[in-house]
Amino acid sequence: MRRLVPAGALLVCLSGCVITPMAPTTADTRAGEPVETAREEGDRMGVEPGVLKGRVVGADGRPVQGAKIVADNQLLYNSNLIVSTDADGRYRVETDIAATFHVTASMTVEHNGASYQVDLSPDDDSSFAGPTGAIRDFTWKLTGEKADGLGHYGGSVLFHLDMTDPRNPEAFLEDERVELTLTPESTLLDGSQGQVITRRAVRTPDGSGLVDVPIARYRVSASYEGRPLQVRLRGQEAYAAEIVADFSQYISSVYWIQLELKL
């Protein structure tokens, strides 16, 4: 007889989400065969008629508890099915009605005293017929293009550049020649350690700067063709060689840092 091995103690990451280590595969002492994990058992069962199910994991593969799964009934207005993931990151809901569904997932993360609404990345973004059932797994990604192609999972660091060059009043500075350096002053949203980011600015529909930056608290500095720039948060008075900044919400799950720069 096979038996399931318990996953062990819960771990709480710095962002406030609850994660559990993956259940190890060990040998059954009686049969001498590998123990089937809960996920393997679920995969073996496959799609069940009239049932939507799946799992949410972080980028490291560990399960995420408390993620909100929304099955959008595309036939009836405001009749969505909403369920949360359990301690193993799993969810299950009955969809045995004559309608098609599109599934999305999100979660709220507390980090550095602020709340962030995070969209989760689906392994399959297609709709399905309720009576047929489906499996829709999601991953908590800190960066990358969103499944619908509308934006990224990371935030944007945008700036307004004073185009005046004190050395040459007749010249105009160009946004694309600005280089930003972001040094993490906190962990990333999922509690992992971030890396220093140094990149040239690009132009976007929302302004010039960097896109798809993992959300965290950063120490920000900037330069123009090797010349240091003065930095401040947009709307503040004092410039400095560097500042510490957090992301703020722009709309929904879109976050940015807005800067002003000058030589």
Side-chain angles (χ1 to χ4, degrees):
M1 178 181 295
R2 293 181 176 178
R3 57 185 176 85
L4 295 178
V5 177
L10 293 177
L11 300 176
V12 180
C13 67
L14 295 180
S15 60
C17 65
V18 179
I19 56 179
T20 60
M22 296 289 290
T25 300
T26 61
D28 187 290
T29 56
R30 190 174 72 84
E33 297 178 354
V35 173
E36 186 177 60
T37 66
R39 182 167 190 175
E40 289 170 343
E41 182 180 11
D43 291 344
R44 177 177 58 80
M45 292 176 63
V47 175
E48 299 178 51
V51 173
L52 166 66
K53 62 183 180 179
R55 194 168 190 244
V56 176
V57 298
D60 57 5
R62 292 187 291 179
V64 175
Q65 181 180 8
K68 183 174 74 172
I69 310 299
V70 177
D72 178 11
N73 184 328
Q74 297 182 306
L75 177 63
L76 301 177
Y77 174 74
N78 199 27
S79 59
N80 301 334
L81 303 175
I82 302 175
V83 66
S84 296
T85 55
D86 62 18
D88 193 40
R90 298 186 182 279
Y91 71 93
R92 178 186 179 92
V93 62
E94 294 185 3
T95 59
D96 194 14
I97 59 176
T100 58
F101 291 88
H102 179 255
V103 188
T104 58
S106 64
M107 60 187 297
T108 300
V109 181
E110 302 294 329
H111 190 68
N112 289 334
S115 295
Y116 294 88
Q117 182 73 25
V118 176
D119 291 331
L120 304 176
S121 176
D123 69 332
D124 184 345
D125 196 41
S126 62
S127 300
F128 71 97
T132 301
I135 297 174
R136 294 292 185 268
D137 295 327
F138 292 84
T139 303
W140 180 8
K141 293 184 178 180
L142 302 181
T143 60
E145 186 175 356
K146 292 186 176 181
D148 57 11
L150 301 176
H152 300 81
Y153 294 107
S156 298
V157 181
L158 306 177
F159 62 80
H160 171 76
L161 175 66
D162 184 337
M163 295 186 296
T164 304
D165 185 348
R167 296 181 182 177
N168 185 1
E170 297 182 358
F172 293 97
L173 305 183
E174 301 175 10
D175 289 356
E176 294 88 346
R177 298 190 180 188
V178 171
E179 185 176 81
L180 293 172
T181 297
L182 310 178
T183 303
E185 290 284 303
S186 73
T187 60
L188 306 182
L189 277 188
D190 65 351
S192 63
Q193 297 298 317
Q195 304 293 324
V196 176
I197 299 171
T198 300
R199 295 206 308 253
R200 281 276 185 124
V202 297
R203 292 185 184 271
T204 78
D206 295 317
S208 297
L210 308 184
V211 298
D212 204 20
V213 175
I215 294 177
R217 177 175 293 161
Y218 288 98
R219 179 159 38 90
V220 183
S221 61
S223 63
Y224 186 90
E225 296 294 332
R227 299 165 62 185
L229 287 166
Q230 295 292 299
V231 185
R232 71 180 180 186
L233 287 174
R234 182 166 294 184
Q236 293 190 352
E237 295 184 1
Y239 281 93
E242 60 182 19
I243 62 169
V244 174
D246 289 291
F247 283 87
S248 60
Q249 188 177 47
Y250 172 38
I251 52 172
S252 184
S253 58
V254 179
Y255 294 87
W256 62 9
I257 295 173
Q258 297 185 80
L259 306 171
E260 294 181 337
L261 309 175
K262 72 173 184 177
L263 282 172

